[in-house]
Amino acid sequence: MKVLITYVSAGAGHRKVAEAVYDYLKDNRQDLNLQLVDALPFTNSLFRFCYNRGYPFLVHHATWLWGFFFWMTEFSLTRQFIRRISSITNYFSCRKFVQYLENENFDFIISTHFLNSELAANLKLKNKIKAKLITVITDFGVHPFWLSRGTDIYIVASGVTKDALLKLGVAAGKIMISGIPFNPHFIRTQDRNLLAAKFGIESKKFTVLVMTGSFGSGPLEEIARSLGSDVQVLLVCAKNKLLLDRLQKKDYKNVRVFGFVDNVEELMAVSDVIITKPGGSSIAELLAMGLVPIFITAIPGQEENNARILAAYGVGFIPGNIKQIKKLVLNLKNYPQKYQDLKNNIMALAKPFACREIANVIR
């Protein structure tokens, strides 16, 4: 069988989820002919610019404007008009990708972005392709743009996600709660003592991992300065080299600073709490690792929804300032039973075998 796993490289989450599914199928389903494809290179230059430059600019420098756009496309009175206009724009901007789908004649299309799902679903409705379309929703909430009438199966993160789809009119038989796929590194057994020695930290000390994505945004230095006197802090600056250089020079007590890392699962394995952005794929990873999350710098719309849904499950916190962050961390450190209760909630919500469940659908 010929299977396409497709994503859009706007934000890392959609790509990470697609790569996780691709890697799992490559290792476990040798009977499949697999292709992993980013749709953006098939689009025109203006469309690519809007996704590659416009989206990152809005979510980091004009979050209020991104929040307004998100609300406008979600609000029922404006949604249908905007969806119609965007569908027309998407079709003409992505004609090469549409042609690619028609020519390749896939048996299954697994999409981790609503754009790809929309384009494939429209081709199905016109009987131009016959592939079974699986849409993997990469957040715990559901924006209406994820819905496309030709979709066969929606892969969702939780019961709340399923309920949201049901309210939007999706048939229950089309929804599968398997969790958000992630790299299997996050479910491998790790030796905390060995990893602590590797990173030059104390294995038995209460440890907080601080990371906010590839840009290293948010009040990271303030958090490190606030927590370092009470707990051990692992702070990931990612691509924020200015922050990395500044923190290395200041050498805060009990704070270990990292630049861009490709072993996040090891840092998680030596940590007790994570302070992070509530992106869907990041949440799936931290749930699998059993980390208690504190959410900061949430993008309006999808990430704010993720944080609220996790809080409703009794998982994670949404503090308003640095003082509240410190109070939360110290409560978790000083009250082991409260910490354990949260861990139990996390393990109940974690779904570590999403990739396997998707593989079982491909028959």
Side-chain angles (χ1 to χ4, degrees):
M1 281 187 291
K2 196 171 181 181
V3 179
L4 171 69
I5 300 100
T6 182
Y7 64 98
V8 168
S9 52
H14 303 288
R15 174 184 54 80
K16 285 167 61 178
V17 172
E19 289 175 345
V21 174
Y22 174 80
D23 289 342
Y24 182 89
L25 293 177
K26 184 177 65 174
D27 292 340
N28 295 277
R29 291 291 302 274
Q30 282 74 33
D31 58 312
L32 302 179
N33 177 5
L34 301 171
Q35 292 189 39
L36 176 66
V37 172
D38 177 6
L40 272 192
F42 291 84
T43 64
N44 63 49
S45 57
L46 177 60
F47 194 86
R48 283 198 303 277
F49 177 83
C50 290
Y51 266 88
N52 285 329
R53 303 290 184 183
Y55 173 75
F57 176 82
L58 287 175
V59 299
H60 289 100
H61 304 290
T63 54
W64 66 269
L65 185 56
W66 169 256
F68 176 73
F69 287 152
F70 191 94
W71 176 82
M72 286 287 289
T73 54
E74 195 175 38
F75 185 52
S76 58
L77 294 180
T78 53
R79 182 175 71 219
Q80 291 185 357
F81 173 75
I82 295 173
R83 184 71 186 268
R84 180 68 60 86
I85 297 300
S86 69
S87 294
I88 295 170
T89 302
N90 292 343
Y91 176 79
F92 285 104
S93 300
C94 306
R95 281 181 291 181
K96 288 183 180 179
F97 185 68
V98 168
Q99 191 65 51
Y100 167 77
L101 295 179
E102 291 180 0
N103 292 341
E104 291 294 325
N105 193 29
F106 292 104
D107 297 295
F108 283 84
I109 296 173
I110 302 172
S111 168
T112 66
H113 195 280
F114 54 83
L115 170 66
N116 311 39
S117 295
E118 176 190 288
L119 296 170
N122 288 340
L123 289 175
K124 286 193 65 179
L125 294 174
K126 296 174 183 177
N127 292 317
K128 291 188 176 181
I129 64 173
K130 296 181 179 179
K132 192 168 187 178
L133 175 58
I134 301 172
T135 293
V136 182
I137 297 177
T138 56
D139 287 297
F140 282 73
V142 180
H143 189 284
F145 273 28
W146 279 103
L147 273 65
S148 294
R149 201 154 50 89
T151 300
D152 295 286
I153 298 175
Y154 292 92
I155 303 295
V156 302
S158 69
V160 170
T161 323
K162 178 179 180 178
D163 290 343
L165 283 176
L166 291 173
K167 289 179 181 177
L168 290 168
V170 177
K174 288 189 170 186
I175 307 169
M176 188 169 83
I177 304 173
S178 69
I180 299 172
F182 56 84
N183 191 296
H185 291 163
F186 292 92
I187 54 174
R188 291 176 184 166
T189 302
Q190 305 274 7
D191 188 315
R192 180 162 177 158
N193 291 327
L194 288 177
L195 289 175
K198 173 181 177 179
F199 296 130
I201 62 175
E202 296 181 38
S203 64
K204 298 186 184 304
K205 195 166 187 177
F206 195 88
T207 303
V208 178
L209 174 61
V210 185
M211 54 185 296
T212 56
S214 60
F215 293 96
S217 59
L220 302 189
E221 183 172 357
E222 293 88 340
I223 291 171
R225 187 167 58 243
S226 173
L227 297 181
S229 59
D230 298 287
V231 298
Q232 193 164 236
V233 179
L234 308 180
L235 194 150
V236 178
C237 300
K239 296 178 181 178
N240 191 338
K241 193 173 185 305
L242 290 175
L243 177 63
L244 175 65
D245 291 343
R246 186 165 68 248
L247 290 178
Q248 286 178 332
K249 289 175 183 176
K250 292 189 175 181
D251 192 24
Y252 288 116
K253 180 183 178 182
N254 291 326
V255 177
R256 178 82 162 82
V257 181
F258 300 84
F260 185 82
V261 298
D262 58 4
N263 59 339
V264 173
E265 72 282 359
E266 293 184 344
L267 295 177
M268 287 185 172
V270 294
S271 301
D272 302 289
V273 171
I274 182 168
I275 300 174
T276 188
K277 288 169 62 64
S281 62
S282 297
I283 290 173
E285 294 165 356
L286 69 87
L287 290 177
M289 298 292 294
L291 278 175
V292 174
I294 296 174
F295 296 121
I296 62 170
T297 62
I299 296 171
Q302 67 270 34
E303 289 191 354
E304 288 183 346
N305 289 341
N306 287 340
R308 282 195 292 267
I309 290 169
L310 267 289
Y313 273 109
V315 172
F317 302 92
I318 313 170
N321 53 50
I322 302 296
K323 185 178 180 180
Q324 290 179 12
I325 291 174
K326 182 171 184 176
K327 183 178 179 181
L328 286 169
V329 169
L330 292 182
N331 280 339
L332 293 169
K333 175 190 175 186
N334 296 331
Y335 297 94
Q337 187 56 54
K338 181 176 181 179
Y339 177 79
Q340 189 57 52
D341 289 344
L342 283 165
K343 293 271 286 186
N344 293 340
N345 292 341
I346 288 167
M347 299 314 295
L349 185 58
K351 295 190 174 359
F353 303 113
C355 289
R356 185 177 69 189
E357 295 193 33
I358 292 173
N360 291 336
V361 173
I362 304 173
R363 300 294 178 189

